[in-house]
């Protein structure tokens, strides 16, 4: 996938996920870890707004590197909510339980994707031969 398409794909995924927090907040309220202070809805909206802001940064070429690094951090930060969702799904229908557990290993490729976008940010397409970039000093 080309560098801009990969970045825009990541931005679209983040924007869709962020928008979903506002469109269906109850779904997200239930997976907020109880250890977090405050009401779950506050965390639902805060995480949705964060995903939208990170999506905008990833979509903008000048902010892409910082946005993609923030996306990688965000994907890691929401992992406890995914674990809670999986644990809470024990008594749910099999399809729901399967989806909840399937989310867990998906975080790793999402983090990798974000780091790849960050590593390629600001580098003209076709000028890379390997990733990650290594500085060359002579």
């Amino acid at each position: 996938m080309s560098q801009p398409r990969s970045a825009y794909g990541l931005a679209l995924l983040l924007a869709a996920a962020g928008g979903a927090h506002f469109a269906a907040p109850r779904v997200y309220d239930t997976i907020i870890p109880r250890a977090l202070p405050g009401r779950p809805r506050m965390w639902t909206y805060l995480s949705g707004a964060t995903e939208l802001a990170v999506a905008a940064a990833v979509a903008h070429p000048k902010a892409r590197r910082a946005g993609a690094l923030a996306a990688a951090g965000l994907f890691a930060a929401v992992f406890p909510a995914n674990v809670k969702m999986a644990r809470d799904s024990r008594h749910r229908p099999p399809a729901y339980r399967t989806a909840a557990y399937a989310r867990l290993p998906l975080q790793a490729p999402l983090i990798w994707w974000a780091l790849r976008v960050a590593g390629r940010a600001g580098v003209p397409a076709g000028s890379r031969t390997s990733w990650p970039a290594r500085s060359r000093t002579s």
Side-chain angles (χ1 to χ4, degrees), residues 13-107:
L13 173 81
L14 287 159
H21 283 70
F22 294 95
R26 267 194 228 166
V27 173
Y28 295 93
D29 291 347
T30 63
I31 64 172
I32 301 297
R34 289 181 188 92
L36 292 175
R39 294 185 174 193
R41 183 64 51 95
M42 176 193 71
W43 290 103
T44 295
Y45 287 153
L46 183 61
S47 60
T50 301
E51 285 179 321
L52 291 171
V54 170
V58 171
H60 192 282
K62 290 186 178 185
R64 183 162 295 147
R65 180 171 171 71
L69 290 173
L74 183 62
F75 291 141
V78 300
F79 189 71
N82 293 342
V83 170
K84 182 179 183 311
M85 182 182 198
R87 289 189 65 209
D88 291 350
S89 73
R90 290 175 298 205
H91 305 294
R92 303 289 301 262
Y96 183 92
R97 195 168 47 246
T98 299
Y101 277 95
R103 287 182 69 159
L104 297 176
L106 288 177
Q107 292 306 112

